[in-house]
Amino acid sequence: MRTSFRIFEVFGIEVKVHVSLIAILALFIYAFYVSYPPFGFANFPPTTRIILAVVASILMFGGILAHELAHSLVARRFGVKVKGILLFIFGGLAMMDKIPESPREEFQIAIAGPGMSFLIGFICLALAYIPIKEISALFMLLAYFNIILGVFNLIPAFPMDGGRVLRSILAGRMSYLRATRAAAETGKMIAVLMGIFGLFYNPWLILIALFVYMGANEEERVVTLENVLGNVKVKDIMTKDVITVTPDMKISELVEMMLKNKHLGYPVVQDGKIVGIVTLKDIINANPDSTVGEVMSKEVITISPDATAFEAFKLMSEKNIGRIIVVENGELKGIISRSDLMRVTEILEVMEVLGWKRS
Ligand code: ZN
């Protein structure tokens, strides 16, 4: 099922809306309808109330869009490809290729969003002085929303912009990896404090704290892996003598083979050509008398021996697979598995702790 829809394009950037946004839009219209100023329009007559609530909800997402656009346009100036902006239940997301590791550039990209939110917030605040009470109430609410959006995003924790701002400041003084770890730890600490505070005052904060904690964890994990695995080639860590099977092998024979050599996945080769891959998952419900050819996956995902181990990791995560066949010029060179990557990461991290130079 398609879950997001393209609505328009600005500055050549595609803007998409996720279906979850419709639910949250309805919720906000309701919240604005029943709340009193400055967070709603409950003091106006019913028709005005509805119109104001709908207009405010839509303009609110306009504010989120402007925030993401600011990130995107600054990023594009630094040569980052922006795939599009997605508006969804938690707000907005600019889908960009890798953000530059240059601290100055990351800082400018990160700060642009909150900067835009503050700018819009203060313009709305000024417009709230227009002496027509409907218009004044509308702009007052938008001023609050955009300023809160700016402040919230400056919390120095991933995945908020403040986390990136903090990392870029730290990265001027230490390695990118260490800066990420320090920023992630700060983020987790803030999340814990936010959670405890939420326990007593506002349950919504617990939800946000959870979101912040997971974001910090994820960023740290990905950057660590990238730093460690990005310097290693697939050919250096792959298993070279690959055991292959043929499509006419019986499942019962395959199980015996798995027990003997303890690998969980095998390329399937016929007449010197790779025709599939068979893993433990494929044989769970198979009849022992059926053949490998009947249960194997025919879609074979391969990687070059010169790719980095991090590329292999990304490919495994994207395709949700546990192993990739390494192929060069159509020839089978080896196989690399998720557990290989994890073991290599552990070893290299220990080496780093011991102060060994990676070569
Ligand atoms: Zn932002």
Side-chain angles (χ1 to χ4, degrees):
M1 193 188 117
R2 267 182 58 186
T3 50
S4 53
F5 301 88
R6 181 175 178 269
I7 43 172
F8 53 78
E9 220 181 86
V10 253
F11 303 114
I13 294 167
E14 198 171 66
V15 178
K16 283 177 160 182
V17 166
H18 190 261
V19 285
S20 66
L21 183 79
I22 296 161
I24 201 80
L25 210 56
L27 198 72
F28 273 115
I29 292 173
Y30 174 75
F32 293 154
Y33 187 79
V34 297
S35 309
Y36 282 89
F39 300 111
F41 311 105
N43 54 334
F44 289 101
T47 321
T48 322
R49 250 167 107 176
I50 291 197
I51 294 170
L52 282 174
V54 171
V55 171
S57 301
I58 292 168
L59 288 180
M60 202 177 69
F61 274 95
I64 294 172
L65 178 60
H67 175 110
E68 297 304 331
L69 260 181
H71 285 308
S72 306
L73 292 177
V74 175
R76 206 161 64 174
R77 218 179 60 204
F78 292 129
V80 179
K81 236 179 97 190
V82 181
K83 289 177 203 142
I85 291 173
L86 179 66
L87 297 176
F88 69 121
I89 193 157
F90 281 122
L93 187 71
M95 292 172 288
M96 301 185 225
D97 271 356
K98 218 176 121 28
I99 287 172
E101 286 186 14
S102 141
R104 272 184 58 123
E105 293 179 6
E106 186 179 31
F107 179 83
Q108 290 183 39
I109 295 170
I111 204 82
M116 176 61 93
S117 295
F118 286 128
L119 181 70
I120 296 174
F122 288 117
I123 291 174
C124 288
L125 198 60
L127 292 173
Y129 284 96
I130 293 174
I132 300 167
K133 64 179 196 309
E134 288 81 4
I135 292 186
S136 170
L138 177 67
F139 281 115
M140 199 45 132
L141 184 138
L142 290 171
Y144 266 97
F145 173 75
N146 283 287
I147 291 169
I148 290 171
L149 183 66
V151 170
F152 177 72
N153 266 295
L154 282 181
I155 298 173
F158 293 117
M160 262 82 73
D161 301 325
R164 294 184 186 285
V165 170
L166 177 64
R167 171 168 66 193
S168 66
I169 293 169
L170 293 173
R173 280 155 241 255
M174 53 181 91
S175 78
Y176 189 74
L177 178 61
R178 284 187 127 190
T180 301
R181 285 198 180 140
E185 288 311 314
T186 314
K188 284 188 212 170
M189 236 158 58
I190 290 173
V192 171
L193 291 178
M194 219 193 263
I196 294 170
F197 191 78
L199 222 48
F200 294 106
Y201 297 101
N202 191 339
W204 277 104
L205 272 179
I206 303 174
L207 204 73
I208 296 169
L210 218 68
F211 175 65
V212 170
Y213 194 92
M214 290 189 309
N217 232 1
E218 180 64 15
E219 179 78 14
E220 188 180 9
R221 199 178 70 95
V222 172
V223 172
T224 305
L225 279 176
E226 180 167 15
N227 200 277
V228 172
L229 295 178
N231 295 319
V232 181
K233 290 251 161 80
V234 165
K235 64 178 170 204
D236 296 327
I237 58 170
M238 67 185 185
T239 306
K240 282 187 186 109
D241 5 84
V242 189
I243 302 162
T244 61
V245 298
T246 56
D248 49 21
M249 188 183 214
K250 284 245 163 58
I251 297 300
S252 51
E253 294 171 272
L254 179 67
V255 173
E256 262 174 56
M257 216 174 102
M258 279 186 179
L259 277 172
K260 219 187 297 164
N261 54 43
K262 286 140 206 119
H263 292 310
L264 302 181
Y266 303 88
V268 185
V269 175
Q270 189 174 33
D271 305 323
K273 255 187 66 191
I274 302 164
V275 292
I277 184 163
V278 65
T279 65
L280 186 61
K281 249 198 318 208
D282 298 322
I283 62 171
I284 286 172
N285 292 314
N287 177 350
D289 286 327
S290 55
T291 62
V292 165
E294 290 168 50
V295 300
M296 68 183 186
S297 3
K298 294 197 177 83
E299 192 208 352
V300 186
I301 293 151
T302 63
I303 195 161
S304 143
D306 289 313
T308 68
F310 185 66
E311 287 172 89
F313 168 76
K314 272 203 303 197
L315 198 58
M316 284 181 203
S317 306
E318 266 165 38
K319 306 275 179 187
N320 195 20
I321 48 176
R323 52 190 51 71
I324 306 178
I325 297 172
V326 185
V327 171
E328 191 176 34
N329 302 327
E331 210 182 305
L332 178 65
K333 290 286 179 189
I335 191 164
I336 186 165
S337 73
R338 196 181 278 266
S339 51
D340 288 338
L341 294 179
M342 293 308 123
R343 260 174 257 149
V344 168
T345 307
E346 267 179 58
I347 295 166
L348 290 176
E349 280 192 310
V350 170
M351 284 167 69
E352 192 179 82
V353 171
L354 293 174
W356 289 13
K357 266 250 168 81
R358 243 183 265 135
S359 57

